[in-house]
Structures are given as structure tokens and as C-alpha cells.
């Protein structure tokens, strides 16, 4: 595999991780604003 191919694969993996972390961060902020729990469970 060429160096360019490896770079594209690494970039794709980083992009997917970024999207997932970004969505999780948005959920965390919305849950804090709305007073809910992040993963839907009752901690009390």
C-alpha cells in the first residue's frame, strides 16, 4: 500500500472518531441544559 493510501485510511478513521465524539458532546450539552441523564438511566 502506498503512503497516500495509508494517509487516506488514517484520515478516514480520525474523521469517523471526530464525528462520533462531536455527537456525544452535543448530546451531553443538551442533556445538561434539559436536566436529563446522558445515557437514559436513573442514578437515584
Amino acid at each position: 500500500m502506498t503512503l497516500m493510501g495509508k494517509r487516506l485510511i488514517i484520515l478516514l478513521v480520525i474523521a469517523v472518531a471526530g464525528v462520533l465524539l462531536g455527537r456525544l458532546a452535543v448530546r451531553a450539552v443538551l442533556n445538561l441544559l434539559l436536566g436529563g441523564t446522558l445515557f437514559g438511566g436513573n442514578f437515584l
Side-chain angles (χ1 to χ4, degrees):
M1 183 172 281
T2 64
L3 185 62
M4 191 67 182
K6 288 181 183 178
R7 282 185 182 173
L8 286 175
I9 290 174
I10 291 171
L11 190 64
L12 186 67
V13 168
I14 291 173
V16 169
V19 167
L20 292 176
L21 288 175
R23 288 186 52 143
L24 188 62
V26 169
R27 275 187 64 192
V29 169
L30 286 176
N31 275 304
L32 282 174
L33 288 175
L34 297 174
T37 58
L38 186 56
F39 298 106
N42 283 330
F43 294 128
L44 297 176

